[in-house]
């Protein structure tokens, strides 16, 4: 039995699937939908940066690595992180999907707060 060459559409579908599996967007539209990742550090009783502006679909990654325990609690019944000394945490992207300003704080340290603006 002779093998048939792949059609262009099947080949494109296969390449798109491979790229998606590797976390790479195949088109600019897919890249925008996939979003990027922005990091916010927790150190010395501060969020760094304290204010961050992102596009919808951006993944937010909170990163802390110190001996002082922190947590992240968003206002208005938003997402909450566990209390950790070291670790990484991301809120559910759906919680920050709509344009607006999302305020958060560490409930363990008064004055340790920040905000993410989605636009």
């Amino acid at each position: 039995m002779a093998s048939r060459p792949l059609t262009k559409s099947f080949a494109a579908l296969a390449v798109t699937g491979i790229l998606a599996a590797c976390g790479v967007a195949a088109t600019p539209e897919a890249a925008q939908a996939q979003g990027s990742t922005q990091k916010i550090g927790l150190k010395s009783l501060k969020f760094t940066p304290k204010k961050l502006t992102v596009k919808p679909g951006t993944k937010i990654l909170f990163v802390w690595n110190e001996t002082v325990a922190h947590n992240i609690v968003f206002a208005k019944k938003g997402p909450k992180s566990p209390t950790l000394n070291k670790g990484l945490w991301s809120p559910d992207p759906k919680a920050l999907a709509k344009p607006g300003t999302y305020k958060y704080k560490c409930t363990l340290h008064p004055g340790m707060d920040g905000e993410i603006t989605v636009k």
Side-chain angles (χ1 to χ4, degrees):
M1 181 189 283
S3 64
R4 290 191 238 165
L6 294 174
T7 65
K8 286 183 183 179
S9 60
F10 182 76
L13 181 61
V15 169
T16 301
I18 291 168
L19 291 173
C22 295
V24 177
T27 66
E29 296 80 16
Q32 187 172 0
Q34 182 179 351
S36 62
T37 300
Q38 293 291 321
K39 293 181 182 177
I40 298 175
L42 290 82
K43 187 173 182 182
S44 302
L45 304 181
K46 295 179 186 176
F47 290 103
T48 306
K50 182 173 178 143
K51 294 183 179 185
L52 181 66
T53 301
V54 299
K55 293 179 181 179
T58 301
K59 179 179 180 180
I60 305 299
L61 181 63
F62 288 90
V63 182
W64 57 105
N65 184 15
E66 57 182 358
T67 58
V68 178
H70 298 289
N71 65 9
I72 298 129
V73 178
F74 280 82
K76 299 181 183 177
K77 298 183 182 180
K80 297 180 200 176
S81 77
T83 299
L84 298 170
N85 292 19
K86 297 179 181 183
L88 306 170
W89 178 75
S90 288
D92 182 345
K94 293 176 188 175
L96 306 175
K98 294 181 182 177
T101 299
Y102 299 86
K103 296 183 182 241
Y104 59 89
K105 63 183 177 179
C106 173
T107 62
L108 305 174
H109 301 104
M112 187 175 175
D113 56 10
E115 67 183 42
I116 299 168
T117 301
V118 177
K119 62 179 181 175

